[in-house]
Amino acid sequence: PPPFGGRRVAQYGNFQTTLSLDYQRNRDTISGETTRRDLVMPGAGVVYSRFNDPVYATSGFRLGAFVNGGTETFGSDLSFLRGRLKGHAVQGLWDGARVLVRGEVGTVDVADVDDLPLSQRFFAGGDDSVRGFAYQSLGPEDEQGNVIGGQHLAVASVEFEQLIVGDFGAAVFMDTGNAMNTWDTSLRTSAGVGLRYRSPVGVFRLDVAKAVDGDESARLHLSIGVDL
């Protein structure tokens, strides 16, 4: 059956809380071996946000903490606990100029990471992760060189943005991060430039980024949305 579940979301001032219960039937093939695991996962999250404009903030931040897991006692094929911390912040400098920073860390407490389904592992790379790399292309690999995700995650980014003409502007940025099974794994780093358009529904971003610690080709990234 497809994944299904339910969640309750509530807003208390600047706090948003989430309680969830999800079911997943996972069928993964890694290094030629196929496994199937059913997961019953309660979860909870809390997000605190404060900003001066919901579409184009020049001052504010958003910080979220999320946890989910499963236990064999309540019908899950695997016992584990997965947690993430994720934050974004923006600060205006002068007219039309902003600095944006973001970061995310995550980890899974599990007896053997090889037993963890791919859906609950961490991956890095992509528009909202480490630009300059394909979506979910960073992480531990199997014997065939396929990225299979890791037990831990660390990602960070800093970006400078300047409006130039009306709602059009430009940005320069640097991203770093990786998914890993041990915290001493090297992070991958990229840098790039981008065009910005401040629209009524958020910022349209066109970025070109390239790894600074490898020979990967430059990649184009497109995204639109609010910063916080």
Side-chain angles (χ1 to χ4, degrees):
F4 64 88
R7 60 198 64 244
R8 180 183 184 275
V9 180
Q11 191 77 34
Y12 304 98
N14 292 334
F15 288 92
Q16 183 184 82
T17 62
T18 303
L19 295 175
S20 62
L21 181 63
D22 295 296
Y23 166 80
Q24 285 184 355
R25 171 162 289 181
N26 294 268
R27 184 182 178 90
D28 301 318
T29 301
I30 301 175
S31 298
E33 181 179 348
T34 299
T35 59
R36 192 189 76 180
R37 291 183 177 85
D38 293 344
L39 300 181
V40 179
M41 301 176 294
V46 59
V47 176
Y48 180 81
S49 57
R50 188 173 67 194
F51 42 82
N52 63 352
D53 188 291
V55 177
Y56 188 82
T58 55
S59 177
F61 67 92
R62 177 183 178 93
L63 181 63
F66 311 91
V67 63
N68 72 295
T71 173
E72 297 175 52
T73 305
F74 294 104
S76 184
D77 287 344
L78 180 69
S79 295
F80 71 98
L81 185 64
R82 184 178 191 264
R84 288 188 301 135
L85 287 173
K86 189 173 184 179
H88 295 74
V90 58
Q91 180 60 54
L93 299 177
W94 53 81
D95 188 29
R98 304 189 302 168
V99 169
L100 303 97
V101 296
R102 59 177 168 84
E104 182 176 5
V105 293
T107 189
V108 185
D109 182 16
V110 63
D112 188 346
V113 68
D114 291 335
D115 294 332
L116 193 67
L118 297 181
S119 67
Q120 299 305 309
R121 301 186 190 189
F122 291 107
F123 297 80
D127 297 344
D128 195 36
S129 181
V130 185
R131 287 164 288 188
F133 299 92
Y135 176 66
Q136 293 191 346
S137 65
L138 296 179
E141 301 177 349
D142 65 9
E143 296 173 355
Q144 282 75 45
N146 302 308
V147 179
I148 58 174
Q151 187 175 357
H152 312 298
L153 175 73
V155 171
S157 173
V158 61
E159 179 173 319
F160 171 77
E161 178 186 290
Q162 174 69 63
L163 293 177
I164 299 173
V165 178
D167 291 323
F168 291 89
V172 294
F173 58 86
M174 179 171 286
D175 298 346
T176 189
N178 211 343
M180 63 208 83
N181 288 327
T182 60
W183 285 112
D184 57 357
T185 301
S186 298
L187 302 182
R188 300 300 309 273
T189 300
S190 65
V193 297
L195 297 177
R196 299 291 181 265
Y197 171 64
R198 182 174 58 180
S199 80
V201 295
V203 179
F204 176 81
R205 307 173 186 88
L206 173 64
D207 294 323
V208 177
K210 189 180 187 308
V212 300
D213 57 356
D215 57 0
E216 290 88 351
S217 300
R219 295 189 65 88
L220 182 68
H221 298 268
L222 294 170
S223 63
I224 186 171
V226 299
D227 301 303
L228 302 176

